[in-house]
Amino acid sequence: MIKSIQAIRGMNDCLPTQSPLWQKIEGTVKDVISAYGYSEVRMPIVEMTHLFRRAIGEITDVIEKEMYTFEDRNGNSLSLRPEGTAGCVRAGIENGLLHNQEQRLWYMGPMFRHERPQKGRYRQFHQFGVEVFGLHCPDVDAELIMMTTRLWRKLGVIKYVRLEINSIGSLESRASYCKKLTNFLMQHEPVLDDDCKRRMHNNPLRILDTKVPEIQAILTDAPKLSEYLDDESKQHFAGLCELLDEAGIQYTVNEKLVRGLDYYNRTVFEWIAESLGSQSTICGGGRYDGLVEQLGGKATPAVGFAMGVERLVLLMETLELRATRHVVDVYMVTSGKGTLAAGMKLAETLRENIFGLRIMMHFGGGNFKKQFKRANRIGASVVLVLGEDEVAKNEVTFKILRGGEQRTISQDDIAEKLGKLV
C-alpha cells in the first residue's frame, strides 16, 4: 500500500467542526478594529531575509533559530514571515504611505516559526496585527489597549485575561541601563544558564523575562529599568497610565516585561490568559519609533500589536465558549421527475434576490425521510420541498424544521417569506 501523506509537524488543518469558532473570532476582530477607523493592508508571506534580520535583531531566537529561510532560483535569500510588523513597515515605505502621513492599518494571516510544536505554539500560526504610523503621543497607545479590551468583552473572555504594561525607554536610556544590567549579571555568571550567558553581552534585556526560577530569583536584586528611563519616556508612560485609569482599564506594571523583538521602545504591553499555561500571552505589542528609519524610511513614530488566533481559539475552547456550527439557512428537498432541475433554478433565484441567504440542494436522491434527516444534521432552519405537484402549480412547500410551521405557497412569494427569516 502507498503510505499516506501527512501534514507537516506543527502545521495544522482547520476542520469544518473547528472553523465556526475561527470565523467567530475573525469576524469579531474585524468588526472591532473597523469600529476605530482602521484600514486593511495585505502583505506577502515571503520577504527578503535581510528585512527580518534588520528589523527583529540578529541576537534573537526568531533570527537565530526559528525562521524558515531558503534560497530561490536566483540565489536570493528568502524567508517565510515570522511576524507581520517588519513586512508592514516595508510595504509602507515602498508604497510611500508613511512619510509625513498618519496611517492606521490592520492585517491578518499566517506566520511561520520553526519551533518545537506544543499546545498554543505552532510552526504555522495565524495573527491579527494592528500598526499605527505618524503619531507619537500616548493617546494612540491607550487606544490600542482600549481596542483589545473591547475585543475581549465582545468575545466573552474579559474576566479571564489580565494586562501587563511597561516602558523600556528610549534606545539611549536603554543602552545605559543594559551596561548596568550586564555588570550585575557578570557578578552572578556562575549560576546563569548557557542561554543567559550568551545574551548577557549581546542582548541582556531579554534575560529579564527568563522563565528559569533560579535566575528569576537573582533578578530580584537587579537594577530597575524604570530608574534609568529618560524624562520624555517617563512622561509618555505616565500619560498612558493616566488614560488607562480614566478609561477604567485595570493593569499591572511589570518592570521585567521587555517583549521578544529588538525594535521596541517606550510602551510595551501583553495580555495574559493564565488558563493557557506556559503559552499564556494572547496579545502583545508596543512602540517601535525607530524601525521605519532603521529599514530605510524617514523617521516615523509607530506603535502596534499582534494577537494569536490559535491561542484565542484555545482560550475560548478552554472556557467552553464554542460557536454554533450553522452551515445553511435553507435545505432544498426534491422528489419526482423534473423536480431537481426546478429546485436548482428556484435556489439560484433565491440566492440572487436574498442577500446572505445560504441555501443547499440535496443531491443523490433518496426518500423524503432521508432528505429531512440530512437537513437536520447540517443545522438548516427551513426546508423547501418540491414535488411534481408543486412544480406543476408553481408552488413550494415551506417548513420550519424546529418550529412546526408548514404550508404550501407560490414560488413568487417564497423570496419575501424567506427574506424575513434571514
Side-chain angles (χ1 to χ4, degrees), residues 226-364:
S226 58
E227 298 172 359
Y228 292 83
L229 295 183
D230 56 288
D231 291 340
E232 198 172 342
S233 292
K234 290 179 181 178
Q235 292 171 7
H236 189 280
F237 192 60
L240 170 63
C241 292
E242 182 179 351
L243 288 168
L244 295 181
D245 291 338
E246 289 289 337
I249 296 175
Q250 296 183 341
Y251 59 88
T252 300
V253 177
N254 177 3
E255 292 197 24
K256 294 179 181 177
L257 176 61
V258 296
R259 300 291 295 151
L261 307 176
D262 281 0
Y263 52 62
Y264 285 110
N265 71 299
R266 290 193 181 165
T267 303
V268 291
F269 66 90
E270 288 185 354
W271 284 96
I272 310 295
E274 300 289 0
S275 61
L276 296 184
S278 60
Q279 307 303 320
S280 60
T281 301
I282 59 171
C283 175
R287 283 210 157 261
Y288 49 96
D289 295 328
L291 184 57
V292 176
E293 188 174 20
Q294 185 179 324
L295 293 180
K298 301 291 185 181
T300 304
V303 61
F305 68 78
M307 65 180 68
V309 179
E310 279 88 352
R311 291 190 187 179
L312 282 177
V313 169
L314 185 58
L315 175 61
M316 294 186 71
E317 287 178 339
T318 300
L319 299 174
E320 298 185 349
L321 300 173
R322 303 183 184 276
T324 303
R325 183 172 180 244
H326 184 50
V327 179
V328 298
D329 304 302
V330 178
Y331 197 76
M332 180 75 76
V333 168
T334 62
S335 179
K337 185 177 181 180
T339 59
L340 179 59
M344 294 179 73
K345 182 179 178 181
L346 177 59
E348 285 300 301
T349 300
L350 294 173
R351 294 186 187 104
E352 185 73 22
N353 288 283
I354 306 175
F355 177 76
L357 179 70
R358 296 172 296 181
I359 182 168
M360 180 183 287
M361 291 293 306
H362 178 88
F363 295 130

Side-chain angles (χ1 to χ4, degrees), residues 207-221:
I207 299 177
L208 293 179
D209 64 359
T210 180
K211 302 299 186 289
V212 181
E214 294 80 7
I215 301 175
Q216 285 181 333
I218 293 170
L219 291 172
T220 303
D221 298 321

Side-chain angles (χ1 to χ4, degrees), residues 115-129:
E115 303 182 272
R116 182 174 65 85
Q118 54 185 291
K119 192 175 183 180
R121 174 174 285 180
Y122 310 102
R123 291 177 174 174
Q124 176 177 305
F125 57 99
H126 297 76
Q127 284 188 342
F128 273 94

Side-chain angles (χ1 to χ4, degrees), residues 132-268:
V132 180
F133 301 97
L135 297 173
H136 66 274
C137 294
D139 45 13
V140 68
D141 304 27
E143 180 178 84
L144 294 184
I145 292 174
M146 292 175 188
M147 181 189 293
T148 52
T149 303
R150 178 177 296 277
L151 175 62
W152 310 144
R153 285 202 301 267
K154 293 288 186 180
L155 291 176
V157 301
I158 188 67
K159 295 188 295 184
Y160 308 97
V161 298
R162 60 180 175 83
L163 173 64
E164 292 187 352
I165 63 174
N166 193 24
S167 176
I168 58 175
S170 66
L171 295 175
E172 295 76 17
S173 64
R174 195 156 67 249
S176 176
Y177 170 72
C178 284
K179 290 180 181 178
K180 296 289 185 180
L181 179 60
T182 299
N183 291 336
F184 171 83
L185 292 170
M186 288 177 66
Q187 299 173 26
H188 300 276
E189 188 169 3
V191 296
L192 298 180
D193 61 18
D194 291 339
D195 196 37
C196 288
K197 288 177 181 178
R198 181 175 55 85
R199 286 177 169 164
M200 184 168 57
H201 298 287
N202 297 317
N203 195 354
L205 211 61
R206 287 300 317 281
I207 299 177
L208 293 179
D209 64 359
T210 180
K211 302 299 186 289
V212 181
E214 294 80 7
I215 301 175
Q216 285 181 333
I218 293 170
L219 291 172
T220 303
D221 298 321
K224 304 297 182 185
L225 177 56
S226 58
E227 298 172 359
Y228 292 83
L229 295 183
D230 56 288
D231 291 340
E232 198 172 342
S233 292
K234 290 179 181 178
Q235 292 171 7
H236 189 280
F237 192 60
L240 170 63
C241 292
E242 182 179 351
L243 288 168
L244 295 181
D245 291 338
E246 289 289 337
I249 296 175
Q250 296 183 341
Y251 59 88
T252 300
V253 177
N254 177 3
E255 292 197 24
K256 294 179 181 177
L257 176 61
V258 296
R259 300 291 295 151
L261 307 176
D262 281 0
Y263 52 62
Y264 285 110
N265 71 299
R266 290 193 181 165
T267 303
V268 291

